[in-house]
Every structure is written in C-alpha cells, then in structure tokens.
Amino acid sequence: MSTIRAKILGTGSALPTKVLSNKDFEHMVDTTDEWIVTRTGIRERRIAEPEEATSDYVARACERALEAAGVPASEVEMILCATVTPDMMFPATANLVQDAIGAKNAASFDLSAACSGFLYGMSLGASLIESGRYRYVLVAAGDLLSRITDYEDRSTCVLFGDGAGAVLLGPATPGETAGLLSFSLGSDGSGGKYLQMPGGGSRRPATHESVDERLHFLKMQGSETFKFAVNAMVDSTEKVLGQLGMTNEDIDLLVPHQANIRIIDAASRRFGLRSEQVAVTIHKYGNTSASSIPIALDEAVREGRAKAGDLVVLVGFGGGLTWGSVAIRL
Ligand code: COA
C-alpha cells in the first residue's frame, strides 16, 4: 500500500445559461411537464449554444477547480477528461483543455466510460498521485449531450443536458485524515446494447445512410437501464464501504449520478439516508452524463453541504455498461 494519499484540493463546474424547460418539450414531442417530473424528477436542463463545444465548459470547470485550490495551471501534470461528446474524434478534448487553460506542463488524455467516466478518472488520478510520480492531477468530465440527443424521440430527449465538472487532486499531507480512501469500478460489455450511440465509429462510420437511420443519436432501452442502475448503485456503494470496514451509517453525503430521481431515491432508501444527505441536481440540470457527479459535488462544497471531515461517497453507472464508486474523506 502506498503511503501517499490523494485528496481533493478544489472543485469546479460550468453550465450553459440557456434553459430548456419541460414546457418547451410540450411543443416539441408528445409529452407533458407532469409526465417528465413524475417519471424522472427533471424540471429543466441547460443547453449549450450552437458555436460552443465540450472543451469550452471543461476548461471553465478546470479553471474554477484550480482557483478554489489556489494552484496555478502551470503546476498541473496530468489532465484526464471523461467525455462521450468530445469536440471531435481527435485531438482529445483534454488536449484542447490543456491549451485553453495554459497547463503547459501537463500531459492530457480523454477517457471513455460514459456516465461512470468521472469515477474512473478519480480512481486513475488518485492512483497516479499514490504512485508518487504525479503531484497535481486535474480530473474533469464534460458532455454536451444535446449534440447526440434525438429531439424526435420523447423517451430519451427529455432526460439529457449539457455541463462540465472538475476536481484538482493532489497529495494529502502525511497524517491528515482527508483523502480518497477507496474506490470500486466495474463493467459488463454484454449490456452495451442498452445504451449506445451506434454511428460515427469504425463499425458504422458517418454516411448518408447512417444519418438517415439516425444512428448518430444516443439510443437507450430505458427500463433495462433502470433495473441495472438501482442494483449497480447499491452494490457499488456497499462494496466501497465494505473495503473500508464501514457501513451506510458512516455516509455523510452521497453524491449519485443524476439519471432519474426514482433511481436516486431507491438507492437512498436502501441506505436509510435523509434527503439532506443526498446531493440532487437532476431537477435543474437533467442527466449531464459523467459531469453530473462533479457538478453536484462542486455545488455541495460551495453551499457548505459537504464539509471538511465528511465521508462522501460518489456513485454512478452508465453505458458500457459501467459502474463505480469512490469514498472520500473531505
Ligand atoms: N412523455 C410521455 N410519455 C412517454 C415519454 C415522455 N417523454 N417517454 C416515454 N413515454 C411513454 C412510453 O412510450 C410508454 O408508453 P406506452 O406504455 O404507451 O408504451 C410509457 O411512457 C412508459 O414508458 P416506460 O419506458 O416504461 O417508462 P418508465 O417509467 O420506465 O420511464 C425512463 C422511462 C426512461 C424515464 C426510465 O426508464 C429511466 O429513467 N430509465 C433509466 C435511464 C437512465 O438511467 N439512463 C441513463 C443511464 S446513464
């Protein structure tokens, strides 16, 4: 076991200002505000402007995390960016962010684990610091899901939004209690069919036919994903706590992936958590993929709901299928 422990030095997030409300959807597809609120908990989501791209928001979230930490961009050695909506196939969004924020001494790359991407990034970033080879690592997640959402498909279009979040990780001082204590990650590629964007890759590159078949949009089998999600959240949280010899009673704040309030409520009930112990942003931002966890964490920190000494569990799931959890002492 390494004697170096990684901790969060600063958090940041960035969201578009443009709001798309449930009422707006009533004019776009056959749906109602009431259906969306009762089935998902979402009231509105944020949508980026046409000329913007994912790296614009990730860069802003990273700058805010650096500012909160009081660390200059030039000291960052690695930038990890989780995204399924990169600015383009390559260069990586993390490379564009490295330039945008002036992190001239940083290596950078993207990681693809859909909505679990931030949890994968945190686990990797912390491991790099624990190895002793890296000091400051920016772990970011950003997606403009509006770019791959089919606004003619009512079963998916009401769910998704745009945004980005980031944390700066660095080494804890020896002896201090704060730090990333444990993580647990998993995947099951046999479930890839439940949530995917089939077009644009090497199997179905962009053609007139792929566009006509609407393959460049996210496709989801909602009820299959729902069932997997609740179990993944509960099992993964129990696993990460079990590794620490802890139980649900040790949780001060749960920061779950924001996909559906019913999934969050089901997991929270299983752990006997009160509403103030669960970070919820889904009503105002919808599902922003991997960025939903760092956005909710950043808000909880800035609003004083996540305080020094708290045990915070981040937990999520997503396409792949993938899932994961991270336990942190703030
Ligand atoms: N407005 C009105 N009706 C809608 C609708 C909408 N926006 N979307 C779907 N419906 C309809 C369906 O067509 C279906 O009608 P039918 O019974 O006549 O066929 C009915 O509502 C019920 O659909 P169903 O899919 O069973 O609803 P649900 O209660 O499972 O809720 C989801 C659908 C998508 C909200 C829910 O399954 C879910 O959240 N799944 C998990 C999604 C997720 O976590 N995704 C992200 C992973 S990172």
Side-chain angles (χ1 to χ4, degrees):
M1 238 349 225
S2 166
T3 52
I4 306 171
R5 186 187 269 175
K7 71 176 225 180
I8 294 178
L9 300 174
T11 64
S13 58
L15 288 138
T17 47
K18 187 155 108 194
V19 171
L20 188 60
S21 71
N22 291 351
K23 278 276 169 221
D24 295 328
F25 276 106
E26 291 183 355
H27 308 291
M28 294 161 66
V29 288
D30 182 13
T31 193
T32 60
D33 173 48
E34 200 249 331
W35 191 96
I36 302 170
V37 172
T38 51
R39 296 295 180 108
T40 72
I42 302 168
R43 293 183 183 276
E44 53 188 44
R45 63 294 285 145
R46 302 294 180 88
I47 304 293
E49 297 300 329
E51 70 280 6
E52 293 177 319
T54 299
S55 69
D56 300 332
Y57 287 93
V58 175
R60 235 169 283 158
C62 286
E63 281 168 347
R64 287 175 186 158
L66 289 171
E67 195 181 288
V71 172
S74 58
E75 291 195 23
V76 175
E77 293 164 331
M78 179 64 81
I79 303 171
L80 308 178
C81 179
T83 184
V84 293
T85 52
D87 289 25
M88 55 192 92
M89 290 291 275
F90 67 89
T93 300
N95 302 155
L96 303 171
V97 170
Q98 180 266 341
D99 178 49
I101 67 172
K104 52 183 187 297
N105 298 309
S108 52
F109 67 97
D110 284 0
L111 71 90
S112 176
C115 298
S116 312
F118 182 73
L119 302 165
Y120 274 63
M122 284 286 277
S123 310
L124 185 53
S127 302
L128 291 174
I129 291 167
E130 287 165 10
S131 78
R133 288 182 184 270
Y134 289 83
R135 187 167 175 80
Y136 293 124
V137 177
L138 266 173
V139 180
D143 271 306
L144 302 193
L145 289 180
S146 62
R147 302 297 201 253
I148 58 166
T149 295
D150 184 349
Y151 287 101
E152 292 182 13
D153 174 10
R154 69 174 183 174
S155 67
T156 56
C157 69
V158 299
L159 303 174
F160 302 108
D162 301 339
V167 299
L168 180 71
L169 296 180
T173 313
E176 85 173 300
T177 53
L180 195 150
L181 306 182
S182 193
F183 59 83
S184 168
L185 303 173
S187 70
D188 175 8
S190 71
K193 57 188 176 288
Y194 296 137
L195 189 53
Q196 59 176 218
M197 190 181 100
S202 57
R203 192 166 296 282
R204 292 300 306 270
T207 58
H208 285 296
E209 289 74 28
S210 72
V211 172
D212 291 344
E213 291 171 41
R214 308 183 80 72
L215 298 184
H216 301 275
F217 293 121
L218 180 160
K219 315 277 179 201
M220 186 180 73
Q221 295 179 30
S223 52
E224 284 77 5
T225 312
F226 193 101
K227 279 177 235 147
F228 147 72
V230 177
N231 290 333
M233 297 257 279
V234 171
D235 293 350
S236 194
T237 302
E238 283 175 349
K239 205 160 171 189
V240 82
L241 290 170
Q243 287 168 2
L244 297 166
M246 293 181 178
T247 70
N248 47 316
E249 293 187 1
D250 293 298
I251 300 174
D252 291 305
L253 185 72
L254 186 75
V255 185
H257 173 45
Q258 312 282 315
N260 188 317
I261 194 67
R262 292 188 287 141
I263 296 173
I264 296 173
D265 285 347
S268 309
R269 268 198 306 276
R270 285 279 285 274
F271 295 125
L273 297 174
R274 299 183 307 279
S275 60
E276 61 272 23
Q277 291 177 288
V278 185
V280 175
T281 59
I282 188 162
H283 52 295
K284 47 186 182 175
Y285 306 141
N287 180 347
T288 58
S289 188
S291 69
S292 84
I293 291 174
I295 291 170
L297 176 65
D298 182 46
E299 291 200 356
V301 168
R302 285 173 195 266
E303 289 165 10
R305 281 182 292 119
K307 304 173 297 300
D310 282 354
L311 184 84
V312 177
V313 175
L314 316 179
V315 62
F317 59 90
L321 298 166
T322 55
W323 59 89
S325 55
V326 177
I328 301 161
R329 180 73 66 192
L330 284 186

